[in-house]
Amino acid sequence: MAFKRYVDRLPIPPKDARVQNVTCHFCIVGCGYKAVSWPVNQQGGPAPGQNLFGADLAKQEAADSAAWFAPSMYNVVKQDGRDVHIVIMPDKDCVVNSGLGSVRGARLAELSYSQTTNTQQQRLTDPLVWRYGSMMPTSWDDAIDLVAEVTRRVVEEQGEDGLIVSAYDHGGAGGGYENTWATGKLYFESMKIKNIRIHNRPAYNSEVHATRDMGVGELNNCYEDAELADTLFIVGANSLETQTNYFLNHWIPNLRGTTLDKKKQEIPNEAHAAARIVIVDPRRTVTVNACEVEAGKDNVLHLAINSGTDLILFNAIFTELAAKGWLDRPFIQASTSGFDAALAANKVSLDEAAKVTGLTVAQIAKAVAWIGEPKAGGARRRTMFAYEKGLIWGNDNYRTNAALVNVALATGNIGRPGGGCVRLGGHQEGYSRPSDAHVGRPAAYVDQLLIGGKGGVHHIWGCDHFKTTLNASEFKRTYKKRTDLVKDAMLSVPGGDRRAQVEAIMGAIRQGGLFAVNVDIVPTQIGQHCHVVLPAATAGEMNLTSMNGERRMRLTERYMDPPGQSKPDCLVAAALAQGLERSWRAAGKPAIADKFKGYDWKTEEDSFKDGYQRHEKGGEFVSYDRLRAMGTNGFQEPATAFDGGKIVGTKRLYTDGKFGTKDGKATFMASTWRGFQAEGKQAEKDKFTFLINNGRTNQVWQSAYLDQQSDFVRDRWPFPFIEMNPADMQELNLGAGDLVEVYNDNGSTQAMVYPTPTAKRKETFMLFAYPTGVQGNVVSKGVNEFVIPNYKQAWGNIRKIATAPEVTRHLTFKSQEYVTG
Amino acid sequence: MKGCNNLVDVGRRQFLRGGGAAVAGAAAAAAALGRTEAKAAPAPARVSYPSNRLANVADLKVNEPVDIAYPDADSPGVLIKLGQAVDGGAGPHRDIVAFSILCPHKGFPLAYAAADRSLNCPGHYSRFDVEKGGQQIWGQATQNLPQFALRIDGKGDIFAEGVDELIYGRLSNRL
């Protein structure tokens, strides 16, 4: 049977319950929520005068009620050491989500640490050190002292290149301005660490290098633009699942035609209609289906291209737009450079593009018309371009990114209402760090350094490469071997003898060992191989600032205590810096020790003041108090003033036609098609039968680290699914829910078969980064010229491991596409 | 009231299965960390459900849902004879099921798709499988669909006697 909670009654928040601002921790959209809390021995009542909502709770509430919360939105947590009831429910007044809760954010409360209801008992509560054959709790001072001592010794012997760092660079949980600043200050200011990588890719680089090089920052529009556009042109994104409430609250109304009044009001003097949408994705998704349901099939163009051929499609569109004259010549003239050269370099015929992409000429021509054909009356068509991992983690990332931005620039769609050329995003953003210029470009391919025996100490901040890196099979094998050397050495001398421990560790490092330190909120798979684990607090257990996909910055207030001794990452980084200062000073190197001054922070707000306020554009206008007052709507970065008690923000970037280049002109870029760019991809395609396309699913999206202890999610997805065409299943004698092995020359992994009639033959789709089956095991080490991974183009074979095990037998395997009754 | 008591037992078992496992995990973790405390979670109270007659088995045709309401008139649902046995199905053929039709996401009324025996939400596209205990096939809701526990007496009268999840729009399943 499906998982049920058997909860049939929930406590009612009293009138005077405490209400705090929350931005959902998980994805880029950053939906607004409210944390409602009150003492555990109090409760409100059903009469309107007895509850926070002023609602009559003795009656059935209507749909879309602001006064109802689900069991998943409720918990009992600690606040300043006392038990409180807490409800974390979507905020109707937040312009991002207007009261909508996603299947992830609406579980924030249930995914919180509670010693009363036993949720998230996996959370780390104490620093842990490898002693006596397992991870043992210890004090902060003891753990930090060991990390600092070993780190200092490695740097003395190997230089700063011997310290390898893995660190998030984003906002939301496991990130945010406070924490990126602190880690950045430690590694880029106190030290100049070059061998550093980001949580989801094996180097320290931008996923969207090209657009930045062209002078076009990747988050340049606002969510309202999706309500104003004539056409939405979407690449490699399944936004109903991965930007859920942005899609539901801003795209769907435009596809339904319910934003027409807003269009007429904001953009008078031109024709308006409900939006049309083009979706470039090799796979049919629930997003495509929902668009067809709302806009009608005639207004949805799904370009199901051959995997990895986006680049030639965009170049053909660019070529055809120019041939038709559907360009914004005044904009190109005033605000860009390099148009003619790029057009010449990228010239591709529709026939050629059709052949490579597998589309018809008519389909591409239709896309061109939807993007650029002038509207009735001659006005320029407003097209919003948006892309995500299908492009970012797809073939030839850099050039493909450039090719899409070329199209947006050519049609004058950046900096204008109803336009934009944006990434859709994964996490929220929250990057504030000293310059990373010393890292270089291309940056070091850190995974290859680790595999190649380089480095002596590895600091890991909120990352689990065992689940989320490419070439993961080899990475894990090597990592275990190197860290085991150190583990065994540590066991060879008494755990309490610090001097002997450090000597043993250094001896093992000289033999190719690696000393690993993991800062996280939960135990991770890579953490099992670490020697020190440091427990961190997450959003809501600390005050945390981030910005969403339209640069909307909010403060999530601290609404509960962090578990045990855990504390914000920024304060962990500060403690580590101070430990290094002590260590260098004791080693007689005062000049180096002095570099680690400046971390005398008591709270996360101190890091915010040191980082964001002093270093980010407009930071001087932003403070915790002001953000608190701005609620869940916050403001859109950059701030430009503080006026009338409010922070004044920036709705769209580049509205003045000035871009982020030296001469202020956006630069067109030559980006010619060259087939599969990453080394070995074409050969892998030729050798193996199935495309192992991969991505995310609704229930698990930037939330897997907590979902691994969610009964609701684990009941639905005990294993990662792999969508397969039923005819392919028949050939391999597979049934729904069977376990299969996916394998190729890179490694192997497992998944659960989900029959999918809409899947193309020999093209599967596997859930990415899932704890019980890591898709990255079968992804090759091939990257682009700037070390961006190419997860999407992987090919492998499939064989049956087992007939559906017990945990999959009760599951539904029906189509995930909504049908009208 | 036999069915009702059984449901209470099921609830307790479910609770102990979920919560108990977590307690055991916490105890093990606490032991590993040198701590000894392991708090027991308090048992949730359950509301008392009425035993309401919904229909007679003779009224049902395979795959044709009948509108019902439970536990009161303001909580709409459907009663469906599936024609093949399912887990949690009532009646001699274990093929009769009943569900709330208020989507547990935002309370929009679900529509039945007979072709694949699913309940579908026109609000935000969530889908629930009536052959799999109301499991959400895909969607926004953070719970599977509330199912009504059924008892069928010797005359074929079908009674609803309990609910396994919180119904949308009420903070107590009994108002």
Side-chain angles (χ1 to χ4, degrees), chain A residues 454-497:
Chain A
K454 299 288 196 303
V457 58
H458 187 197
H459 293 180
I460 308 161
W461 296 80
C463 306
D464 192 356
H465 307 325
F466 277 40
K467 297 200 292 280
T468 58
T469 199
L470 68 169
N471 189 28
S473 297
E474 185 183 18
F475 181 88
K476 287 185 265 201
R477 273 197 311 275
T478 320
Y479 202 85
K480 179 176 186 306
K481 207 169 164 183
R482 294 191 66 193
T483 51
D484 276 351
L485 278 175
V486 173
K487 280 191 172 180
D488 292 345
M490 290 174 79
L491 290 180
S492 69
V493 292
D497 186 341

Side-chain angles (χ1 to χ4, degrees), chain A residues 22-43:
Chain A
V22 178
T23 302
C24 177
H25 309 172
F26 299 125
C27 93
I28 177 81
V29 178
C31 294
Y33 283 77
K34 291 290 186 186
V36 175
S37 57
W38 67 100
V40 76
N41 290 326
Q42 293 177 18
Q43 61 180 325

Side-chain angles (χ1 to χ4, degrees), chain A residues 36-70:
Chain A
V36 175
S37 57
W38 67 100
V40 76
N41 290 326
Q42 293 177 18
Q43 61 180 325
Q50 296 175 316
N51 63 68
L52 176 72
F53 312 113
D56 184 353
L57 301 176
K59 288 184 180 159
Q60 171 73 33
E61 297 168 53
D64 256 337
S65 169
W68 187 74
F69 50 92

Side-chain angles (χ1 to χ4, degrees), chain A residues 221-279:
Chain A
N221 75 354
C222 58
Y223 282 179
E224 193 187 70
D225 285 323
E227 300 176 33
L228 300 175
D230 296 304
T231 300
L232 298 162
F233 189 89
I234 309 304
V235 181
N238 175 17
S239 298
L240 174 55
E241 302 197 76
T242 54
Q243 288 82 32
T244 303
N245 291 329
Y246 176 26
F247 179 85
L248 291 173
N249 201 34
H250 301 277
W251 298 20
I252 287 292
N254 194 0
L255 293 167
R256 280 180 181 159
T258 53
T259 62
L260 276 174
D261 286 345
K262 182 183 264 189
K263 287 180 169 183
K264 287 172 191 162
Q265 193 182 344
E266 296 205 11
I267 315 171
N269 307 319
E270 65 181 62
H272 292 291
R276 296 189 291 200
I277 186 165
V278 183
I279 299 171

Side-chain angles (χ1 to χ4, degrees), chain A residues 81-103:
Chain A
R82 289 189 297 273
D83 280 340
V84 294
H85 298 279
I86 195 159
V87 173
I88 305 180
M89 56 195 298
D91 182 6
K92 267 214 154 174
D93 296 327
C94 176
V95 296
V96 174
N97 54 313
S98 304
L100 288 172
S102 73
V103 66

